[in-house]
Amino acid sequence: MKNYISQDPWCIVEDGFHRDYNEISESVMSLGNGRLGQRGNFEEKFTGKTLQGNYVAGVYYPDKTRVGWWKNGYPDYFAKVLNAANWIGIDIDIEYETLDLNLCDVRDFRRVLNMQEGYLERSFVAILKSGKELQVNSKRFCSIVDDEAGVIRYAIKPLNFDAKITITPYIDGAIRNRDANYDETFWDEVRKETGYGEAFIELRTRKTGFHVATGMGVEIEQDGIKVDYQSQPIKYEKYVANRMTLDCRQGQETVIYKYAVNLSSLNYDPDMIMKEARQSLQRITRKGFDKMLFEQMQAWADKWKTNDIVIDGDVAAQQGIRFNIFQLNQTYTGEDERLNIGPKGFTGEKYGGSTYWDTEAYCLPFYLSTADQKVAKNLLVYRYKQLGKAIENAQKLGFRAGAALYPMVTMNGEECHNEWEITFEEIHRNGAIAYAIYDYVRHTGDEQYLVEYGLEVLIAISRFWSQRVNWSKAKQQYVMLGVTGPNEYENNVNNNWYTNYIAAWTLRYTIEAIEKAKALDAEKYAELIDRIHFREEKEMATARQIIEKIYLPKDDERGIFLQQEGFLDKDLMPVSDIAKGQRPINQHWSWDRILRSCFIKQADVLQGLYFFEDEFDTETLRRNFDFYEPMTVHESSLSPCVHSIQASKLGMREKAYEMYLRTARLDLDDYNNDTEDGCHITSMAGTWLAVVKGFGGMRVEKAEGADAQLLFNPYCPNHWQSLAFKIRFRGALLQITTTQSDVTVTNFSTKPVTVIIHGKAITVDGNAAQTVKITVE
């Protein structure tokens, strides 16, 4: 665990230059706006440890997989969101010396990610080998108002010399993905242009044919006055720049404003994209840096009004949750239903930037409760529009009759994961998508979604489950063979409890959804079942039989559900018995040793108990938690949050806080030694869940349609003075504020809202608040 980030409630602060940790800092200092993103790289040249990263949402490449063998149905590529043209570059040369923090002494280094206002700021003094001292202050952001634009204010000041300083702002399209399987470049140049203080380059992805036009414009001030400089245009292959040389006096500040745009052919005709880039650049340049920054600060203030979480009494926890919320809002805005959430967002290359089951299982609840309803709906529509590909994926594996297997990893709906034990076997992802539909309808009351989109997806997923089980004569039950559950430290097992349970639950929910859709719009339902050739009586009878007779492995003596058949054959021991220095085990043990051990990567049985907790009594939840958590190494970023939520429900406050802090500061403290290749964006939604569903105890009452209410069983961890969070629910915006002794519900909407606090129903009038005294054992 690293501990070099200073604790601050609103900022991520790196005081002092930590060369060895620079890639970690680049990850946590990343910026984004839902449309594009940029790691916290330096603007000036840097030859030290760095992972250059600039990403444009939805633009990807089908990188040929490196596996040396093939099986029927196996994907032949892994989709990757590409490292796009570097737009932030500004080379600084002082009389034949290049500013490079890897080659000079550095003092007063400070890098700050301001989460409240949405920008990255950096300052330092560089002492060159000649003894010249140069002070630099930079500020940049990816605009969430002009979401195809980024802008930089880069100020330099000679402290002990006068000199001619050469400034070279550039766009570099000759970039690579570090994770390219065959060290390929993924871009071809289409065209480039340069002019006075501006430059443009258009690149096209190989194979997929996406076009991205990147443009820059430069303005310079000295002593606060705009400079009419001379500019030398530069063109190389996949590279454009302007070079200007200025007389700079000791103590005089020279400010470079660099405006940039990234436009993709997802939104523009390739034949017009350079023209559109020029117009976009002109528009933001006319606005100017100060106005763009003001708009950025206002837009972020609006976001924080509805989704901030305030913790009084614990700066580390406060910084952690705001960092997670900030990155989630930078990654996905819900404005474009073609886009989704990659596990690393815009912060790195790992996982390819593609869509995983993380979106449905962890991210959807955050957007359901903190954003407009359309944002969460667009996440579901994304899957609906890829249903045809999901059916094709199942057909490749031999399934029939409209069965759908949603991919483990995808950009366009086609499976592109390249590990067989995941691609073919981690099929519980299908259940997560069904659960997300249920979660959305329950939270919003938008039952019409079932008629319009949801039911068709549910039927296709249920057809998959009906074919994936088989009848065991020995057990006289339906079984599920050869799967991988959420615990990826177990592969190719039989009867994973979670997979079997969520399969049967999906069938049950699909039957409920069919009855609901019939009642809501019988004509539309009839059109659907005719179009997809749904044999209602036969297929529903099969589903009911599977629900009744699905095999769910358990150990009656311990009163627990078994992660899979044979789990008790392992040498059971707690994580505390692992030898010192052997954690994380995935970085020290062979895969064979991991698979034979009892150690669990993330919640598996407990994932199911988290989803369906109201179907089990508290003692069942407790027995399973007490059995599985001590064997869990939490080496998945998605693990601590589920355990924190369950620990809260079970009254295990110290464990809940321990797990919360681990998920909240997973990247800030680099718990698993893997932040350097990007932050864990989807697990950040889990952090929000740990606060709101864990400490806040929020649930949606299991009631039908418009009658559903919110329930809260909130408490403050022992050393917190208070906790406050906001929730959107069916047109209302509520704030729940909890202290050690009471709960205050503030209703920011105009209509009265009824909620249940520790089992007691209270009605809060519009634009009013009500406080309830609590006693928590």
Side-chain angles (χ1 to χ4, degrees):
M1 187 177 83
K2 316 297 188 301
N3 191 24
Y4 73 99
I5 298 294
S6 301
Q7 294 181 4
D8 181 282
W10 276 111
C11 295
I12 307 302
V13 182
E14 179 188 8
D15 274 316
F17 186 33
H18 301 83
R19 281 183 174 86
D20 290 342
Y21 296 161
N22 187 54
E23 289 183 334
I24 299 171
S25 297
E26 289 176 342
S27 293
V28 300
M29 303 287 182
S30 295
L31 296 170
N33 60 18
R35 186 77 65 187
L36 58 88
Q38 170 69 51
R39 281 172 61 85
N41 309 119
F42 299 160
E43 290 89 359
E44 71 277 355
K45 184 176 183 180
F46 184 64
T47 57
K49 193 173 184 181
T50 183
L51 174 61
Q52 181 66 45
N54 174 58
Y55 311 99
V56 180
V59 176
Y60 69 95
Y61 179 85
D63 196 14
K64 187 173 176 61
T65 182
R66 293 186 64 178
V67 296
W69 45 264
W70 304 97
K71 295 186 182 297
N72 289 336
Y74 196 86
D76 61 1
Y77 72 90
F78 189 93
K80 292 176 178 175
V81 170
L82 302 185
N83 190 3
N86 174 19
W87 61 269
I88 68 168
I90 304 174
D91 285 345
I92 305 293
D93 292 281
I94 305 102
E95 295 179 342
Y96 309 107
E97 286 185 283
T98 298
L99 177 60
D100 180 345
L101 297 195
N102 195 47
L103 302 177
C104 61
D105 293 329
V106 182
R107 75 165 190 260
D108 302 331
F109 183 95
R110 183 176 172 86
R111 182 163 33 180
V112 179
L113 180 67
N114 187 315
M115 300 180 292
Q116 187 172 23
E117 298 177 344
Y119 61 81
L120 174 63
E121 195 165 23
R122 184 168 57 104
S123 59
F124 60 88
V125 174
I127 301 98
L128 305 179
K129 291 183 178 179
S130 63
K132 293 183 175 71
E133 297 183 6
L134 184 72
Q135 180 179 295
V136 175
N137 290 274
S138 71
K139 182 182 288 186
R140 76 169 182 255
F141 56 92
C142 295
S143 173
I144 58 174
V145 176
D146 300 291
D147 65 4
E148 293 166 327
V151 62
I152 304 168
R153 183 188 189 276
Y154 193 88
I156 58 176
K157 181 189 292 185
L159 297 182
N160 63 352
F161 66 94
D162 298 334
K164 288 185 181 295
I165 297 181
T166 299
I167 302 163
T168 310
Y170 64 85
I171 302 170
D172 183 11
I175 35 73
R176 294 174 178 266
N177 273 50
R178 183 185 288 183
D179 67 350
N181 286 337
Y182 294 93
D183 200 31
E184 290 180 89
T185 57
F186 299 147
W187 297 95
D188 288 324
E189 180 184 305
V190 179
R191 72 193 81 160
K192 54 180 176 271
E193 300 173 5
T194 57
Y196 173 73
E198 65 179 23
F200 299 86
I201 191 165
E202 180 183 345
L203 303 175
R204 180 180 56 235
T205 60
R206 297 175 180 176
K207 295 185 181 179
T208 44
F210 292 106
H211 289 240
V212 174
T214 304
M216 72 169 190
V218 179
E219 293 180 346
I220 298 178
E221 291 179 353
Q222 287 185 319
D223 298 324
I225 300 171
K226 189 173 180 180
V227 174
D228 187 13
Y229 56 83
Q230 290 188 335
S231 171
Q232 176 189 355
I234 299 170
K235 293 182 183 179
Y236 302 132
E237 184 181 0
K238 300 181 186 176
Y239 177 96
V240 288
N242 290 141
R243 181 173 295 151
M244 54 282 291
T245 300
L246 302 174
D247 290 318
C248 299
R249 300 188 308 274
Q250 180 177 334
Q252 180 188 51
E253 184 177 67
T254 299
V255 179
I256 303 108
Y257 293 101
K258 184 175 183 181
Y259 302 90
V261 293
N262 274 307
L263 276 61
S264 85
S265 56
L266 280 172
N267 304 303
Y268 298 94
D269 184 334
D271 292 335
M272 299 294 292
I273 199 167
M274 284 287 269
K275 179 181 177 182
E276 296 282 0
R278 184 179 296 279
Q279 292 174 349
S280 295
L281 183 64
Q282 289 171 349
R283 185 177 64 253
I284 65 168
T285 304
R286 283 195 300 268
K287 274 190 180 183
F289 182 88
D290 290 341
K291 183 176 182 180
M292 290 184 70
L293 179 59
F294 177 74
E295 291 177 346
Q296 178 83 346
M297 293 162 61
Q298 282 190 315
W300 273 105
D302 289 341
K303 285 184 178 291
W304 288 116
K305 283 178 185 176
T306 60
N307 58 34
D308 190 19
I309 290 177
V310 181
I311 296 169
D312 184 11
D314 190 338
V315 176
Q318 178 68 87
Q319 183 186 45
I321 189 60
R322 282 187 173 140
F323 175 67
N324 285 259
I325 293 170
F326 178 73
Q327 291 292 359
L328 284 162
N329 279 310
Q330 289 198 125
T331 302
Y332 184 76
T333 63
E335 295 298 322
D336 190 335
E337 66 189 28
R338 298 168 299 176
L339 303 179
N340 208 276
I341 306 161
K344 293 285 184 180
F346 295 121
T347 71
E349 298 175 7
K350 193 174 181 182
Y351 304 119
S354 302
T355 303
Y356 286 62
W357 71 291
D358 308 17
T359 291
E360 285 76 23
Y362 297 89
C363 299
L364 182 78
F366 169 79
Y367 296 102
L368 270 174
S369 295
T370 65
D372 188 88
Q373 182 173 318
K374 71 173 185 179
V375 175
K377 185 174 182 178
N378 276 347
L379 287 173
L380 298 183
V381 171
Y382 176 90
R383 293 291 195 179
Y384 172 79
K385 290 192 170 182
Q386 293 182 351
L387 177 58
K389 287 286 187 182
I391 291 172
E392 288 180 18
N393 293 335
Q395 288 173 340
K396 290 176 183 177
L397 303 185
F399 291 84
R400 64 190 184 278
L405 175 59
Y406 275 93
M408 186 66 184
V409 176
T410 194
M411 285 297 297
N412 63 359
E414 187 175 23
E415 177 65 76
C416 63
H417 196 276
N418 57 6
E419 296 174 15
W420 68 270
E421 68 275 14
I422 307 300
T423 306
F424 297 138
E425 299 192 338
E426 199 163 337
I427 54 177
H428 65 83
R429 68 224 191 208
N430 249 15
I433 292 167
Y435 186 84
I437 295 171
Y438 162 76
D439 208 13
Y440 170 82
V441 173
R442 175 179 58 167
H443 190 97
T444 64
D446 181 13
E447 294 178 332
Q448 193 62 32
Y449 180 82
L450 290 173
V451 177
E452 296 283 335
Y453 305 103
L455 182 58
E456 186 173 353
V457 173
L458 289 170
I459 289 174
I461 290 173
S462 292
R463 283 171 157 175
F464 172 84
W465 289 129
S466 294
Q467 295 174 46
R468 186 58 173 78
V469 299
N470 59 274
W471 179 253
S472 165
K473 291 183 179 179
K475 289 184 171 65
Q476 288 294 293
Q477 288 181 287
Y478 287 98
V479 297
M480 192 109 58
L481 308 178
V483 303
T484 297
N487 172 27
E488 293 171 343
Y489 287 176
E490 294 276 9
N491 300 150
N492 199 32
V493 302
N494 294 336
N495 294 308
N496 171 259
W497 182 87
Y498 171 73
T499 305
N500 286 18
Y501 195 93
I502 204 166
W505 175 88
T506 302
L507 295 170
R508 179 162 30 110
Y509 180 55
T510 301
I511 292 171
E512 293 174 11
I514 287 170
E515 298 303 326
K516 179 68 67 177
K518 279 184 186 178
L520 288 171
D521 194 330
E523 184 178 343
K524 196 166 184 67
Y525 172 73
E527 182 275 326
L528 170 65
I529 65 172
D530 180 64
R531 176 164 53 83
I532 65 174
H533 307 294
F534 181 63
R535 298 164 295 170
E536 181 178 319
E537 184 176 346
K538 181 178 180 181
E539 294 191 49
M540 289 179 67
T542 299
R544 290 190 177 97
Q545 192 173 33
I546 294 169
I547 294 165
E548 181 184 352
K549 297 186 177 181
I550 191 74
Y551 176 60
L552 298 167
K554 61 182 179 178
D555 175 36
D556 291 327
E557 183 178 339
R558 292 179 173 84
I560 61 166
F561 304 116
L562 293 182
Q563 185 175 276
Q564 72 266 349
E565 283 190 281
F567 186 82
L568 295 180
D569 294 334
K570 293 174 175 286
D571 185 8
L572 304 181
M573 64 179 71
V575 170
S576 58
D577 284 359
I578 298 176
K580 188 177 181 180
Q582 292 295 298
R583 303 275 305 276
I585 60 174
N586 62 21
Q587 296 177 20
H588 293 88
W589 289 10
S590 70
W591 193 243
D592 172 73
R593 184 179 181 186
I594 290 173
L595 291 176
R596 288 186 289 106
S597 79
C598 68
F599 298 120
I600 300 168
K601 183 180 180 184
Q602 70 186 82
D604 196 306
V605 168
L606 299 186
Q607 180 74 36
L609 296 180
Y610 156 63
F611 274 166
F612 307 112
E613 64 175 30
D614 52 4
E615 299 184 10
F616 304 95
D617 60 50
T618 301
E619 285 311 306
T620 298
L621 300 178
R622 188 181 306 279
R623 286 193 301 269
N624 281 276
F625 188 93
D626 289 345
F627 180 74
Y628 285 109
E629 196 284 327
M631 291 184 284
T632 304
V633 289
H634 300 293
E635 289 174 12
S636 164
S637 64
L638 299 173
S639 185
C641 59
V642 173
H643 290 82
S644 181
I645 295 165
Q646 293 211 305
S648 284
K649 181 172 179 63
L650 295 171
M652 303 166 67
R653 293 190 176 188
E654 289 187 10
K655 174 60 71 173
Y657 179 76
E658 172 199 338
M659 291 289 100
Y660 161 74
L661 207 59
R662 179 160 181 163
T663 185
R665 300 191 62 86
L666 178 73
D667 293 309
L668 293 178
D669 295 335
D670 194 25
Y671 266 97
N672 289 337
N673 297 316
D674 59 1
T675 304
E676 63 187 21
D677 55 27
C679 295
H680 298 81
I681 301 300
T682 51
S683 82
M684 291 177 175
T687 303
W688 181 89
L689 290 169
V691 174
V692 174
K693 290 193 174 183
F695 305 143
M698 186 193 87
R699 304 292 190 272
V700 178
E701 184 186 33
K702 201 172 183 183
E704 287 298 315
D707 297 328
Q709 295 173 329
L710 286 177
L711 294 80
F712 298 94
N713 291 292
Y715 73 93
C716 273
N718 293 334
H719 59 292
W720 293 6
Q721 276 72 61
S722 65
L723 163 67
F725 58 88
K726 292 185 174 75
I727 295 295
R728 288 177 185 251
F729 186 72
R730 304 192 179 188
L733 176 63
L734 306 175
Q735 178 172 290
I736 312 300
T737 304
T738 306
T739 69
Q740 297 293 344
S741 59
D742 56 46
V743 179
T744 299
V745 181
T746 304
N747 180 7
F748 293 103
S749 58
T750 58
K751 296 180 180 179
V753 175
T754 300
V755 297
I756 300 171
I757 305 292
H758 288 293
K760 179 182 178 182
I762 65 168
T763 298
V764 184
D765 291 335
N767 297 310
Q770 191 171 149
T771 299
V772 178
K773 294 289 183 182
I774 59 171
T775 302
V776 181
E777 297 297 330

